[in-house]
Amino acid sequence: MGRALAVFLWVMTLLSVWMFLSGKWWFPRSISEHGPAYDQQFVLTIIVVGVAFTAAQLALGYAVWRFRDTGGGERAVYSHGNNRMEMLWTAITAFIFITVAILGQRVWAGLHFQPAPADSSRVRVLAQQFQWNFHYPGPDGKFGITRPEKISDESLNYIGLDDADPASKDDAVVGTLVTQVNRPAELILSARDVTHSIWIPPLRFKQDAVPGLEIPVHFTPNRVGRYEIACAELCGQQHYKMKSYMLVLPPDEYAALVALSQAQFQSRVTELYKKYPVSY
Amino acid sequence: MSTEAHVVHTAATPANEWDGGAFPFRVGHRKLGMWLFIVSDAMTFSALLVGYSYARAASDQWPTPFPFFPSIIFSTTMTLFLLASSFTMVMAVKASAENRLKAARRWIFATMLGGLTFLVLHLIEWKHLIDEGLRPFRLADEMAEHWPQAPPLFGASFFSITGLHMFHVLTGVLYLGWVALRISKTRHEDVEISGLYWHFVDLVWMFVFPLIYLMSVNYNA
Amino acid sequence: MADAEIPQEHHDEAGHAHAAGHHGPPTSFIRKYIFSIDHKVIGIQYLLLALFSVFVGLVMSVLMRLKLTWPEHQWPLLSTIFGDGAPNGVMTPELYLSLVTMHGTIMVFFVLTTAPQGGFGNYFLPIQIGAEDMAFPVLNMLSFWVTFVGLVVLLAAIFAAGSSVVGPTGGWTGYPPLSAIGHLLNVPGQDWGLNLWVTSIAIFCVASLLGALNFITTLLNLRTRGMSLMRMPLTCWSWFTTAILALLSFPVLLAAGILLLLDHNAGTSFFVPGGLSNGTTVIDHQGGSPILWQHLFWFFGHPEVYIAILPGMGATSHILSTFARKPVFGYRAMVFAMFAIGLLGFFVWGHHMFLSGMSPYTGMAFSILTLSIGVPSAIKTFNWLGTLWGGRIRFTTPMLFAVGFVSLFVAGGITGLVLGQTSLDLSMHDTYFVLAHFHLVMGVAAIFGMFAGVYFWFPKMFGRMMSEKWGKVHFWPTMVGVYCIFIPMHAMGVVGMPRRYSQFTETVNGKTTHIYEFLTSTDPLVLFVTVSAIVTAVVQVIFFWNFFYSLFRGPKASDNPWEATTLEWVTATPPPHDNFGGRVPTVYRGAYEYGVPGAPEDYVMQTTPDEEAAPAGALGQGGLHGQGNGHGNGHERHDG
Ligand code: HEA
Ligand code: HEA
Ligand code: CUA
Ligand SMILES: [Cu+2]
């Protein structure tokens, strides 16, 4: 029984490690500036925990094989432990864990500890059941005021844009996130009903959109294309298909697009969808 | 509760009271149980008070509607009654310790009276606020006028926190009544335990009072 | 209070009489088996409640897998059961979500917070410390029945919404605003379903509080002579630590639950901010914060996951030592590690909220604290290995499950170090990676702890042995199966699969497509996981069968079938009403004296006096273990 258990543990370990190494199931290729640093940290961590995992399982397998009772009647080693060893591995794991913990703040700090660079493009995001609304300020660079009491799904005013506000005249509200390649993008996230979470796997980025809060975040996409946006916080029965796209455009296309007014913006996005099929 | 498992192993005193066969804190089960209950109940109140503080800190405005007179005077009076009842409870426990059961019972009745007065005054105050229009989901009109940006959470936190406290006072009064009636049948420890509970309820108020009342004083009125 | 031996003087003789409180065995059926105040009966009641709950949760998990894998398939049976929840036998998304919610809630609360603590803890804590009962037997009975009411209320939530859904759909974490105002947004199941769900949890909190204070008092006050803290079995330490965690964390959930109930029904806005809209009108709530709920919930929630696993750790340590025939390696370190885990567990709740909008600096602090919690966990793992090392391992069924526990705990715990890093959580949060993490560590490691406990203690509890053969037949497919279910979930998570999605493909006009293209590569995994889950779930029939069959037909068990050392093996099988038949044991040594050189057997009971145990010096190790010489055969009742 001990040998069978050992073999199982070893095989299971091998298969698990294979699953990670095979590359069959991996992140989509990174499309953001912090992506490679993220991947690096992930790989580092996976190696550390992978080694620990493998070592622990192998040792466990070895122990159950080697120390199984073979019926000779002799007794186990009588020992209550070993304080020096205890100290040793506590110190080693503490060292490893703290190091990993500190390294694990790098990407986070880069993204979250400083405000968006001044040249960022800005988009306000108002999530709702079950769609994403992206609000662009238009050529004047100013967001029109939004008011909850103006929200009306019937008249397609999903975010409650106040048309009495002059700044709102050139604003566009569409269901697609448009960013410019290699330029920082700032999103100001909020939600109008329940908590949602914007999740763009190749971007290595996710952030909750919380009602009542405006959460500014920023990142820099660096590969042109179209990518899927998913909702990562349970928001109701159609959470599973609260889907949208992020377009990462070359500068000229981007500039031309965000200057358009609502109606043209929308139809231009549809054209761009054809030009940029989803690809990973 | 005649069914408590009783300590059987009283025979020899071990060298160290942590070595088993003894009460390491020199406290019987019920008293220890009450202490633990108090710890957990304190966590409940802490959670509520932290929630209240969080909401208050996160709001642009928060009503401070209690004028010094009459609200604060009134609530201070309430506080004094509660404090006094703690004092009478101390006396009750003392009397019980000296096995003066009649006196103990009288002191407990005094304590209950203090608690009941607190409750009645508190209810008067509630009624007053409700009459003004304060609801768990709405500010009183006057408050809404003064503090237009304030969320309606004032009423919500006021009623839920003081309500839960009131519930504790009420159960405390009933509990004390039960102890008082059975005083010749109970052990001294049980009187002490009811005292612990009562002081705890009192102590909670010593947090509620400053956080809910004193921090909401209206200096302009 | 100088005289502390006996709690104070009595006011009179009447008081004395009732305080002496030995309760004789009840005779009526109701007092004996239903409203019993015997901790052993209550323990069994908890265990049965957990068995029932786990069965429900298991069936739900299979239904979930079916939905995820064949989202549009028609199972006519389901429309019979769920009515509008599965029109024509196709499960609706809301049915799926309520299954998720119920599965999570039932498993976390009514399985993992009941059986390991309320079940085994209740039954064996008093026995292992040499007490006749819990400190507060009536309270103990109340805890169970309150828990029972909680379960009934939770199950009622399934039917609350009429025929349309199974119940609340907000997940076991019940985040507002979805939970607070979901009904105003016409989210199915969030009206009465939610009310009952929160109520059930609040009730459960109360029950757990009562239980916790009972456990702590019992352990502190009722240890028998010689049972110093450092001689207690590690199981007792784990129940003790768990009770402390429960005592401090459940009240916070209780408070949060009350506030949520008020928000949902009384129009308050603790968790609901202003300016929300349902698309036509502004919702009449204002001023609250959804994040506040998350803080309160996870302040409870993180300690809760340790509440779920610590008893499993205790049982594992206990069983590993017993069947390796070797003392626990680093007993003291095990105790300190357990306390360290409990203590640190109160300062890491923010790791569930990195992306919630909480300050990123706070996130960083939580992250570093989170990874530090790996250190005591690592100590435990090393010591388990140390216990096996040099042992003479007997592979009984409980031992197999205990070894499985170690393996699964490492597998699941280790990914906590990935999730615990703020940076990596950017991608991993709310994906199947998280599911993989917590199912391995909680969904199966902790469950394996329970399995081990059942197989180990069954003979003592019911006086009959479970079948070893069928136990092993149960173990192997379960062990293989759970790895097959949960290891692939890591891969899904890395690819980016979000949790709480009711389906990943959709059929429009007869053409089936992926809703998200980035998930295309996970198809084979999804199928593989489902098949594994179904097989594993079916295999559990063996366990249930073995359990109930052995209850009536198993071979009679001796008093100490495993040749173990702790007090539960000293007394009769099953133990008499007052546990030790009026003879209170005295304890002479630590709990894990196996492989003792020179002793007549390879183990020495805790109750064996030194003179009978072994030649001089053999047992000497610090102050923990007694010394003595002579010979004997364990405890007097052991060979009788
Ligand atoms: C029994 C339950 C249990 C246990 C014990 C743990 C243990 C841990 N958990 Fe887990 N966790 C859950 C149950 C549990 N968790 C649940 C239910 C959720 C999801 C809730 C929800 O959202 O629904 C969750 C979610 C969760 C998250 C949030 C993920 C997210 O939503 O984004 C995080 C993040 O930090 C985390 C971290 C950890 C860590 C660091 C540990 C550590 O304690 C683990 C320590 C163990 C080890 C480290 C392994 C053994 C050590 C060694 C073998 C030593 C050698 C190792 C090295 C040298 C590397 N957990
Ligand atoms: C103890 C906790 C526990 C357990 C055992 C399980 C067991 C299983 N879980 Fe569960 N699960 C959760 C806790 C648990 N889960 C939680 C908290 C969530 C999150 C809910 C949310 O998001 O809100 C979740 C969510 C969850 C999802 C995700 C839904 C989603 O996000 O879309 C899925 C999907 O496949 C899943 C699958 C399974 C499967 C296949 C099993 C099992 O079939 C695996 C096999 C299990 C066994 C073999 C154990 C059988 C046990 C016994 C027979 C016990 C015997 C009893 C005694 C000894 C007393 N679970
Ligand atoms: Cu929006 Cu989930
Ligand atoms: Cu956690």
Side-chain angles (χ1 to χ4, degrees):
Chain A
M1 201 56 72
R3 277 176 289 186
L5 194 53
V7 170
F8 166 73
L9 290 173
W10 294 337
V11 171
M12 180 278 298
T13 308
L14 272 180
L15 287 176
S16 309
V17 171
W18 169 80
M19 189 188 72
F20 275 99
L21 292 184
S22 73
K24 275 197 168 60
W25 297 285
W26 202 247
F27 301 97
R29 189 147 58 101
S30 154
I31 59 159
S32 61
E33 247 169 30
H34 69 271
Y38 179 100
D39 292 359
Q40 205 189 335
Q41 177 65 19
F42 187 81
V43 169
L44 173 81
T45 309
I46 282 294
I47 290 174
V48 172
V49 303
V51 168
F53 170 75
T54 311
Q57 304 288 358
L58 292 187
L60 186 63
Y62 175 78
V64 294
W65 178 308
R66 170 76 177 68
F67 301 112
R68 68 191 191 281
D69 186 4
T70 41
E74 48 198 284
R75 292 187 183 181
V77 177
Y78 183 68
S79 149
H80 289 90
N82 180 329
N83 282 337
R84 285 205 16 236
M85 299 241 312
E86 209 90 57
M87 306 285 254
L88 187 71
W89 59 51
T90 307
I92 294 177
T93 42
F95 174 76
I96 297 177
F97 287 7
I98 301 294
T99 313
V100 170
I102 290 169
L103 290 177
Q105 311 306 316
R106 240 178 54 232
V107 175
W108 179 259
L111 282 173
H112 283 302
F113 287 4
Q114 54 255 75
D119 62 334
S120 313
S121 62
R122 300 179 76 216
V123 188
R124 293 173 65 96
V125 185
L126 191 74
Q128 76 177 74
Q129 289 174 332
F130 297 94
Q131 73 182 41
W132 295 98
N133 302 302
F134 297 97
H135 178 188
Y136 300 88
D140 69 351
K142 279 202 206 115
F143 291 104
I145 290 179
T146 55
R147 301 178 194 284
E149 54 286 3
K150 294 263 174 194
I151 291 177
S152 163
D153 288 357
E154 224 159 80
S155 46
L156 307 184
N157 191 355
Y158 298 114
I159 67 168
L161 197 58
D162 185 352
D163 45 18
D165 179 18
S168 75
K169 290 285 183 283
D170 60 350
D171 289 11
V173 180
V174 295
T176 307
L177 174 58
V178 183
T179 57
Q180 179 182 335
V181 69
N182 291 327
R183 176 178 169 195
E186 178 173 29
L187 307 187
I188 298 144
L189 290 156
S190 193
R192 63 167 230 203
D193 37 36
V194 302
T195 307
H196 305 262
S197 187
I198 189 164
W199 168 218
I200 307 165
L203 195 64
R204 310 284 187 274
F205 193 83
K206 183 183 289 144
Q207 175 64 52
D208 284 5
V210 184
L213 287 184
E214 291 200 332
I215 303 171
V217 294
H218 58 95
F219 50 79
T220 311
N222 62 3
R223 197 150 57 86
V224 172
R226 173 153 70 104
Y227 310 98
E228 285 158 320
I229 300 177
C231 178
E233 190 63 70
L234 175 57
C235 52
Q237 65 277 32
Q238 303 213 40
H239 167 57
Y240 72 100
K241 52 177 185 184
M242 182 164 158
K243 180 185 176 183
S244 181
Y245 294 99
M246 173 168 87
L247 278 171
V248 182
L249 298 177
D252 47 340
E253 264 175 338
Y254 176 81
L257 177 62
V258 294
L260 298 177
S261 68
Q262 175 89 33
Q264 294 160 305
F265 197 121
Q266 191 67 65
S267 53
R268 177 75 186 128
V269 163
T270 319
E271 286 167 34
L272 288 168
Y273 273 11
K274 295 214 185 76
K275 179 164 174 197
Y276 297 109
V278 177
S279 70
Y280 289 107
Chain B
M1 285 186 212
S2 58
T3 43
E4 291 196 359
H6 187 59
V7 228
V8 233
H9 31 70
T10 45
T13 313
N16 178 339
E17 56 228 0
W18 283 96
D19 283 350
F23 296 151
F25 293 116
R26 304 178 171 234
V27 165
H29 310 334
R30 297 153 181 243
K31 203 191 256 178
L32 187 56
M34 180 52 84
W35 274 114
L36 293 170
F37 173 76
I38 286 175
V39 168
S40 82
D41 215 28
M43 289 300 287
T44 311
F45 274 107
S46 312
L48 290 176
L49 289 171
V50 165
Y52 157 75
S53 314
Y54 188 105
R56 187 164 173 155
S59 306
D60 302 332
Q61 249 187 2
W62 194 265
T64 50
F66 295 136
F68 194 71
F69 186 83
S71 303
I72 295 297
I73 297 291
F74 193 84
S75 50
T76 309
T77 316
M78 282 159 48
T79 308
L80 288 178
F81 271 102
L82 208 56
L83 271 180
S85 76
S86 247
F87 171 74
T88 52
M89 194 65 220
V90 171
M91 297 308 285
V93 173
K94 189 158 173 284
S96 159
E98 293 160 5
N99 222 355
R100 295 184 282 118
L101 299 188
K102 283 226 176 74
R105 182 179 280 159
R106 274 202 300 276
W107 281 116
I108 294 183
F109 283 144
T111 309
M112 291 166 66
L113 196 69
L116 281 175
T117 317
F118 173 86
L119 278 181
V120 170
L121 292 180
H122 211 340
L123 284 174
I124 293 176
E125 189 201 19
W126 268 43
K127 176 165 188 310
H128 179 73
L129 286 167
I130 291 172
D131 287 346
E132 277 182 5
L134 187 66
R135 295 286 185 282
F137 48 88
R138 194 175 69 214
L139 289 179
D141 297 341
E142 222 174 302
M143 294 181 194
E145 248 167 62
H146 269 279
W147 297 277
Q149 257 93 273
L153 276 171
F154 180 82
S157 46
F158 179 84
F159 286 122
S160 54
I161 293 174
T162 60
L164 191 69
H165 180 261
M166 240 199 269
F167 174 71
H168 277 73
V169 176
L170 183 67
T171 39
V173 168
L174 296 176
Y175 176 23
L176 286 179
W178 185 73
V179 172
L181 290 182
R182 300 182 68 252
I183 195 144
S184 55
K185 297 194 203 75
T186 55
R187 285 183 278 162
H188 166 62
E189 197 188 24
D190 291 330
V191 180
E192 269 188 312
I193 294 170
S194 62
L196 278 180
Y197 178 77
W198 190 257
H199 295 314
F200 167 70
V201 172
D202 207 2
L203 183 72
V204 169
W205 182 254
M206 292 307 141
F207 285 88
V208 174
F209 182 59
L211 283 172
I212 302 250
Y213 289 86
L214 297 186
M215 282 184 64
S216 305
V217 175
N218 185 351
Y219 294 102
N220 308 324
Chain C
M1 274 193 277
D3 167 33
E5 263 310 281
I6 304 176
Q8 276 77 39
E9 71 281 20
H10 307 294
H11 279 145
D12 69 11
E13 278 312 302
H16 196 102
H18 94 99
H22 288 266
H23 46 89
T27 41
S28 78
F29 179 81
I30 290 191
R31 293 304 302 271
K32 205 165 167 186
Y33 296 112
I34 305 201
F35 296 110
S36 170
I37 55 171
D38 181 343
H39 69 102
K40 295 184 286 301
V41 178
I42 298 173
I44 292 172
Q45 288 173 326
Y46 265 114
L47 200 63
L48 293 177
L49 180 135
L51 274 175
F52 170 75
S53 308
V54 88
F55 180 75
V56 177
L58 196 61
V59 171
M60 286 179 163
S61 77
V62 171
L63 289 175
M64 279 146 61
R65 291 310 311 175
L66 293 181
K67 171 71 178 169
L68 287 170
T69 318
W70 300 283
E72 273 126 358
H73 188 85
Q74 298 184 349
W75 283 282
L77 179 64
L78 295 180
S79 80
T80 323
I81 304 175
F82 296 116
D84 296 350
N88 303 322
V90 180
M91 285 183 253
T92 58
E94 50 269 32
L95 175 64
Y96 176 82
L97 288 180
S98 63
L99 288 172
V100 171
T101 308
M102 283 295 175
H103 166 79
T105 310
I106 288 181
M107 289 294 200
V108 173
F109 290 98
F110 290 94
V111 177
L112 283 187
T113 316
T114 56
Q117 181 85 356
F120 296 125
N122 237 318
Y123 200 110
F124 288 106
L125 178 98
I127 302 188
Q128 286 189 338
I129 61 173
E132 294 191 338
D133 202 329
M134 295 288 264
F136 306 109
V138 174
L139 208 60
N140 203 13
M141 176 186 81
L142 279 178
S143 310
F144 172 76
W145 284 105
V146 173
T147 307
F148 181 80
V149 171
L151 180 62
V152 171
V153 172
L154 187 70
L155 295 178
I158 297 181
F159 306 101
S163 64
S164 63
V165 281
V166 179
T169 52
W172 84 283
T173 52
Y175 280 11
L178 184 61
S179 55
I181 57 162
H183 57 302
L184 303 178
L185 301 165
N186 292 322
V187 178
Q190 291 300 79
D191 201 347
W192 268 97
L194 186 108
N195 272 337
L196 291 173
W197 178 81
V198 191
T199 309
S200 157
I201 285 180
I203 293 173
F204 191 86
C205 290
V206 173
S208 303
L209 283 177
L210 299 181
L213 73 95
N214 206 348
F215 272 77
I216 299 175
T217 310
T218 305
L219 184 130
L220 288 175
N221 270 1
L222 286 180
R223 278 169 293 121
T224 188
R225 224 168 333 132
M227 183 58 87
S228 66
L229 292 178
M230 283 297 166
R231 281 180 180 167
M232 291 195 307
L234 285 170
T235 40
C236 294
W237 274 110
S238 71
W239 291 318
F240 181 49
T241 321
T242 304
I244 296 177
L245 294 187
L247 189 80
L248 297 176
S249 64
F250 272 106
V252 175
L253 182 66
L254 178 63
I258 293 173
L259 297 186
L260 183 59
L261 213 53
L262 288 174
D263 272 9
H264 193 256
N265 299 302
T268 63
S269 308
F270 291 101
F271 306 126
V272 190
L276 301 191
S277 168
N278 62 9
T280 39
T281 45
V282 176
I283 286 167
D284 194 15
H285 278 266
Q286 203 190 330
S289 159
I291 312 276
L292 174 59
W293 166 269
Q294 298 187 21
H295 279 297
L296 295 175
F297 184 87
W298 290 118
F299 182 85
F300 148 80
H302 191 81
E304 164 65 19
V305 305
Y306 292 120
I307 290 175
I309 196 111
L310 283 174
M313 291 179 164
T316 298
S317 308
H318 196 77
I319 291 168
L320 286 184
S321 170
T322 305
F323 293 108
R325 313 307 297 165
K326 197 167 160 286
V328 164
F329 190 94
Y331 176 92
R332 263 167 199 274
M334 288 301 240
V335 173
F336 291 135
M338 199 133 52
F339 262 77
I341 291 175
L343 186 71
L344 280 171
F346 277 106
F347 302 99
V348 300
W349 78 88
H351 65 216
H352 298 273
M353 301 169 57
F354 290 147
L355 307 182
S356 68
M358 183 177 72
S359 148
Y361 297 95
T362 319
M364 182 172 79
F366 276 124
S367 169
I368 291 172
L369 282 166
T370 296
L371 290 226
S372 345
I373 218 170
V375 176
S377 308
I379 296 178
K380 298 210 73 103
T381 308
F382 287 129
N383 285 353
W384 287 321
L385 288 174
T387 305
L388 293 176
W389 219 264
R392 305 281 300 159
I393 304 173
R394 301 179 183 170
F395 287 99
T396 58
T397 311
M399 184 60 172
L400 289 172
F401 277 100
V403 172
F405 177 97
V406 177
S407 170
L408 288 160
F409 175 72
V410 171
I414 214 118
T415 47
L417 306 182
V418 179
L419 295 168
Q421 298 174 39
T422 44
S423 301
L424 299 185
D425 205 43
L426 280 171
S427 213
M428 293 306 157
H429 177 61
D430 271 352
T431 62
Y432 270 62
F433 200 86
V434 179
L435 286 183
H437 159 69
F438 75 70
H439 274 101
L440 279 178
V441 68
M442 177 169 82
V444 275
I447 293 266
F448 265 43
M450 272 163 56
F451 278 136
V454 169
Y455 284 107
F456 184 67
W457 279 311
F458 188 93
K460 184 53 71 176
M461 299 175 89
F462 302 108
R464 292 175 186 273
M465 305 295 289
M466 280 176 87
S467 157
E468 273 289 307
K469 187 178 96 206
W470 287 108
K472 284 171 180 145
V473 173
H474 169 224
F475 169 77
W476 283 104
T478 306
M479 181 78 181
V480 177
V482 293
Y483 268 116
C484 289
I485 302 173
F486 297 118
I487 288 287
M489 285 193 183
H490 293 96
M492 302 180 191
V494 172
V495 172
M497 183 181 272
R499 52 191 286 212
R500 296 167 172 172
Y501 272 29
S502 58
Q503 60 198 73
F504 295 96
T505 59
E506 204 171 31
T507 309
V508 185
N509 303 328
K511 211 173 128 249
T512 305
T513 50
H514 287 88
I515 300 174
Y516 291 94
E517 284 177 38
F518 67 89
L519 293 176
T520 315
S521 66
T522 58
D523 280 354
L525 296 180
V526 171
L527 184 63
F528 180 74
V529 167
T530 301
V531 173
S532 313
I534 294 172
V535 173
T536 313
V538 170
V539 166
Q540 302 314 308
V541 171
I542 302 174
F543 170 75
F544 283 100
W545 182 81
N546 194 349
F547 188 96
F548 288 106
Y549 180 85
S550 308
L551 211 51
F552 303 104
R553 292 287 168 78
K556 285 257 192 270
S558 66
D559 285 353
N560 189 0
W562 310 120
E563 304 190 301
T565 57
T566 43
L567 295 188
E568 74 268 37
W569 307 110
V570 164
T571 184
T573 287
H577 179 70
D578 65 354
N579 292 346
F580 296 99
R583 302 164 72 187
V584 179
T586 302
V587 167
Y588 296 95
R589 66 197 74 258
Y592 302 106
E593 289 303 306
Y594 293 102
V596 185
E601 309 274 340
D602 82 329
Y603 63 104
V604 183
M605 308 287 293
Q606 286 193 281
T607 47
T608 310
D610 293 343
E611 12 350 309
E612 295 172 26
L619 293 173
Q621 276 255 340
L624 290 185
H625 320 287
Q627 294 185 352
N629 73 62
H631 60 90
N633 200 5
H635 189 265
E636 67 267 27
R637 237 168 307 166
H638 163 236
D639 47 6

